[in-house]
């Protein structure tokens, strides 16, 4: 998987070259990374530990939280390191590895959101068949399938990118290694790489998004045809609002980035959208699901109450 050029490392130029801003950006993104890891870790712990959350919806939510932790970890630690680094280098193998895991996790999350929409479709439109359709075996198979598809899709990108000749420069106009910035540095024929990015990746991004929209279209039609009470309709729609918010936050920046042709003029716009789906969205996901989901809030309050009771018991023992 090694290329045939003399390039042994790349330089990640980051989001800005203004040194005065970099300490403030370091603090900002360190806080974002910490909140992402803690928030998603808390949701994942609740889903695993609370029997009330051992349902298909929360099984996929646990997968989403795991993905978001890994997704942030692929890019943000290296970004934080480079804020105080003068060299800002990443090895060729490290760059290809970062590219692979970024697309692996991103593709898996894209497919997972579509699966979560299907889960809500079955729960609302086919409630009597929900426990039969969304059984443990099917949920496990779907999870394994989307993780596997994500891995091999990313493997295509990492193999094809590693075979390119890089003779123009080793400076990447980005804060992590992605396909589009690397193609800007490549010499020779990159048509196959462009086709893979525009067609295959574009299909993987737009396909699940379209299926998600179709699922929610049928959900809304079904709710309006069955629910004649405004309160019942509002309650049913609120169960889908969290997931649909996450879908919009994730898919819109991704579609904007990977369905447009690569160009130098669009690099700065790609930086902003990349920050959105790689840093901001993983932070917002646990907040959205925690604040809008009664089951998750109930499980969280139970854990906090138990911890409070435990602390009180320890305090009483100390006094005795």
């Amino acid at each position: 998987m090694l290329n045939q050029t003399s390039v042994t490392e790349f330089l990640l130029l980051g989001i800005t070259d203004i040194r005065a801003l970099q300490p403030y950006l370091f603090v900002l993104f360190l806080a974002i990374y910490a909140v992402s890891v803690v928030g998603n870790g808390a949701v994942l712990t609740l889903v695993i530990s609370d029997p009330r959350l051992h349902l298909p919806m929360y099984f996929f939510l646990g997968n989403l939280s795991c993905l978001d932790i890994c997704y942030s970890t692929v890019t943000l630690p290296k970004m934080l390191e480079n804020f105080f680094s003068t060299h800002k280098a990443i090895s060729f193998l490290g760059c290809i590895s970062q590219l692979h895991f970024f697309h692996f996790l991103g593709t898996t999350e894209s497919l997972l959101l579509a699966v979560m929409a299907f889960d809500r479709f079955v729960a609302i439109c086919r409630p009597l068949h929900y426990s039969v359709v969304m059984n443990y075996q099917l949920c496990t198979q779907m999870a394994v399938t989307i993780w596997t598809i994500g891995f091999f899709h990313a493997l295509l990108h990492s193999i094809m990118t590693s075979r390119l000749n890089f003779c123009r420069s080793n400076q990447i106009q980005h804060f992590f290694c992605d396909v589009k910035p690397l193609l800007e540095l490549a010499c020779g024929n990159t048509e196959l790489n462009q086709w893979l990015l525009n067609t295959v990746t574009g299909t993987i991004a737009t396909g699940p998004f379209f299926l998600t929209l179709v699922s929610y279209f049928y959900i809304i039609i079904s709710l309006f045809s069955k629910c004649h009470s405004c309160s019942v309709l509002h309650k049913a729609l609120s169960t889908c609002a969290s997931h649909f918010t996450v879908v919009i936050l994730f898919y819109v920046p991704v579609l904007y980035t990977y369905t447009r042709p690569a160009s130098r003029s669009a690099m700065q716009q790609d930086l902003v959208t990349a920050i959105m789906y790689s840093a901001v969205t993983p932070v917002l996901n646990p907040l959205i699901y925690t604040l809008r989901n009664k089951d998750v809030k109930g499980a969280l309050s139970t854990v906090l109450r138990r911890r409070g009771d435990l602390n009180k018991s320890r305090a009483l023992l100390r006094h005795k």
Side-chain angles (χ1 to χ4, degrees), residues 18-37:
I18 303 175
R19 288 191 170 275
L21 290 177
Q22 292 183 1
Y24 300 103
L25 291 174
F26 174 84
V27 173
L28 174 63
F29 284 102
L30 178 62
I32 288 174
Y33 181 56
V35 172
S36 175
V37 172

Side-chain angles (χ1 to χ4, degrees), residues 7-311:
V7 173
T8 58
E9 65 179 19
F10 292 99
L11 302 180
L12 295 170
L13 300 185
I15 58 178
T16 181
D17 56 357
I18 303 175
R19 288 191 170 275
L21 290 177
Q22 292 183 1
Y24 300 103
L25 291 174
F26 174 84
V27 173
L28 174 63
F29 284 102
L30 178 62
I32 288 174
Y33 181 56
V35 172
S36 175
V37 172
V38 172
N40 285 290
V43 172
L44 183 59
T45 302
L46 287 175
V47 169
I48 293 172
S49 62
D50 196 315
R52 292 173 298 178
L53 301 182
H54 291 175
L55 299 170
M57 175 182 176
Y58 301 109
F59 170 74
F60 295 125
L61 178 58
N63 275 262
L64 180 64
S65 295
C66 180
L67 277 169
D68 282 338
I69 292 172
C70 299
Y71 205 37
S72 299
T73 303
V74 168
T75 57
L76 292 186
K78 187 62 180 176
M79 180 207 280
L80 294 170
E81 176 191 338
N82 286 343
F83 279 130
F84 292 105
S85 173
T86 55
H87 193 38
K88 301 186 178 184
I90 183 171
S91 67
F92 181 84
L93 183 59
C95 185
I96 297 300
S97 298
Q98 189 181 52
L99 180 153
H100 172 80
F101 283 102
F102 181 80
H103 281 271
F104 167 36
L105 298 166
T107 300
T108 305
E109 182 158 342
S110 173
L111 297 170
L112 178 63
L113 291 174
V115 170
M116 293 173 75
F118 174 72
D119 172 74
R120 292 298 84 207
F121 165 77
V122 178
I124 294 173
C125 299
R126 301 288 186 272
L128 298 178
H129 302 93
Y130 181 74
S131 59
V132 177
V133 175
M134 299 303 294
N135 57 68
Y136 175 78
Q137 184 178 3
L138 179 63
C139 292
T140 304
Q141 288 174 347
M142 287 194 293
V144 171
T145 300
I146 60 178
W147 281 83
T148 303
I149 292 173
F151 178 84
F152 283 105
H153 170 249
L155 193 63
L156 285 174
H157 278 304
S158 56
I159 290 175
M160 295 304 299
T161 305
S162 68
R163 295 171 65 87
L164 294 173
N165 293 321
F166 298 97
C167 57
R168 294 176 183 170
S169 171
N170 69 337
Q171 296 183 346
I172 300 176
Q173 300 285 340
H174 218 299
F175 61 91
F176 67 93
C177 290
D178 199 4
V179 177
K180 290 178 74 174
L182 285 171
L183 291 182
E184 289 294 316
L185 305 181
C187 299
N189 190 347
T190 61
E191 288 183 1
L192 183 57
N193 299 77
Q194 292 285 1
W195 177 85
L196 180 62
L197 184 65
N198 297 332
T199 305
V200 179
T201 303
T203 301
I204 287 178
T206 56
F209 182 58
F210 176 74
L211 292 175
T212 302
L213 293 181
V214 170
S215 296
Y216 275 99
F217 173 77
Y218 279 106
I219 286 172
I220 292 171
I221 294 298
S222 176
L223 287 174
F224 276 102
S225 63
K226 293 179 181 179
C227 298
H228 302 290
S229 170
C230 291
S231 60
V232 174
L233 181 62
H234 179 268
K235 183 179 179 181
L237 287 173
S238 66
T239 62
C240 303
S242 300
H243 178 253
F244 193 70
T245 303
V246 170
V247 165
I248 296 300
L249 289 173
F250 178 81
Y251 277 116
V252 171
V254 168
L255 291 173
Y256 179 77
T257 300
Y258 292 105
T259 57
R260 294 181 302 117
S263 66
R264 292 186 181 274
S265 61
M267 284 299 174
Q268 197 64 33
Q269 297 172 349
D270 288 346
L271 274 174
V272 176
T273 54
I275 290 172
M276 184 65 191
Y277 61 75
S278 66
V280 177
T281 302
V283 173
L284 295 178
N285 285 352
L287 295 175
I288 291 168
Y289 278 107
T290 302
L291 295 175
R292 296 190 60 89
N293 190 291
K294 291 182 179 180
D295 292 335
V296 176
K297 286 194 292 185
L300 182 60
S301 63
T302 301
V303 171
L304 294 176
R305 187 170 59 253
R306 288 175 180 172
R307 180 162 295 182
D309 293 340
L310 181 61
N311 290 335

